[in-house]
Amino acid sequence: MGSATTQARTATTEALTATSGVDLDVARELFAAVGAVSGSAQLSGALSDSSAPAAARGALVTAVFGGTYREVTVALLRSAAEQRWSNAGEFVDGLEELAVRAATVADPSADIEGELFQFSRTVASNGELELALGGRLGDASAKSSLVSTLLDGRAGAATALIVSSLVQNAHGRRVRALLRRASAIVADQRSSIVATVYAATPLSAEQRTRLENALSARYGSAVTLNTVIDPTVVGGLRVQVADDVIDASVSARLADLRQRIAG
């Protein structure tokens, strides 16, 4: 990612933070704009052309989307287009990130990270499902309908919007990778980190609270826990935060003991 894109992403996120009236309809329009821009090389190229004046790029946004989308949505799209992006692909990725952040802002109390994680686990356990959602072939609306069926009663509106929009605009990208990226964006928007906990049995409410507090103290940030039940852990826990792994499982201690005996 180029330095121009890094600055553009920051500016676009700040614009979202300063904007009031962001609801799921705005997020839905932003995702629709992602589809429109990604589907037109001419439009994505024009909106990300750093040689053109920022005001001209903003005016193009208004000309294309102003008659259809709400003013809040158009203002956010203009703000994104007026930034300097390294290339058209990163501009489209930036718009997609903006849409995910908007959905997160629209429903601040929803467990979007947890719901995305659980859906990712469902996809990971079913190769046919992953192919159906992420394959280049297949109708986008059919993929969206499949997501709606799978998430009905299992996830909130914000999560359903994020997932259905991502699979419609997957363009050959792996669905699990899209879900991981979306989860990271949601966590960043909420100034939290995501910890994946591997345990032999489900954690009690007290155990979750203690672990959340301990991890928050260690990383200096709020923590969202995603739990994976893994019988191979035997006892104890294995916690992963990004590339950092804390392995306090019985299986790890036994493996260490075997190495010490053998060594």
Side-chain angles (χ1 to χ4, degrees), residues 143-159:
K143 294 179 181 181
S144 180
S145 296
L146 177 57
V147 168
S148 297
T149 300
L150 292 170
L151 291 181
D152 185 31
R154 298 180 177 86
T159 301

Side-chain angles (χ1 to χ4, degrees), residues 81-123:
E82 288 170 356
Q83 308 306 316
R84 293 185 68 254
W85 300 85
S86 298
N87 54 59
E90 292 187 1
F91 170 64
V92 173
D93 286 346
L95 289 184
E96 188 171 76
E97 177 178 332
L98 174 62
V100 173
R101 289 183 182 275
T104 305
V105 170
D107 199 348
S109 62
D111 182 21
I112 300 175
E113 302 100 308
E115 291 168 355
L116 287 172
F117 178 76
Q118 291 303 323
F119 188 72
S120 179
R121 296 282 297 172
T122 299
V123 172

Side-chain angles (χ1 to χ4, degrees), residues 78-248:
R78 276 201 308 263
S79 177
E82 288 170 356
Q83 308 306 316
R84 293 185 68 254
W85 300 85
S86 298
N87 54 59
E90 292 187 1
F91 170 64
V92 173
D93 286 346
L95 289 184
E96 188 171 76
E97 177 178 332
L98 174 62
V100 173
R101 289 183 182 275
T104 305
V105 170
D107 199 348
S109 62
D111 182 21
I112 300 175
E113 302 100 308
E115 291 168 355
L116 287 172
F117 178 76
Q118 291 303 323
F119 188 72
S120 179
R121 296 282 297 172
T122 299
V123 172
S125 66
N126 189 326
E128 291 184 2
L129 174 60
E130 183 167 20
L131 181 60
L133 293 176
R136 292 183 179 274
L137 301 178
D139 181 69
S141 60
K143 294 179 181 181
S144 180
S145 296
L146 177 57
V147 168
S148 297
T149 300
L150 292 170
L151 291 181
D152 185 31
R154 298 180 177 86
T159 301
L161 173 61
I162 291 171
V163 176
S164 62
S165 300
L166 291 178
V167 299
Q168 286 186 76
N169 293 309
H171 300 304
R173 295 176 294 175
R174 292 181 65 85
V175 173
R176 278 184 284 169
L178 292 174
L179 295 174
R180 283 196 300 271
R181 177 174 181 258
S183 182
I185 292 170
V186 172
D188 183 72
Q189 182 63 35
R190 292 178 168 175
S191 300
S192 67
I193 60 174
V194 177
T196 303
V197 182
Y198 299 85
T201 58
L203 302 181
S204 67
E206 182 181 0
Q207 288 174 317
R208 289 183 65 89
T209 299
R210 287 205 307 268
L211 183 57
E212 286 172 352
N213 291 339
L215 292 172
S216 293
R218 174 174 179 141
Y219 292 101
S221 177
V223 175
T224 298
L225 296 184
N226 291 326
T227 305
V228 176
I229 304 304
D230 182 359
T232 65
V233 171
V234 182
L237 301 170
R238 185 169 70 252
V239 181
Q240 182 167 356
V241 178
D243 294 330
D244 193 7
V245 178
I246 306 167
D247 198 338

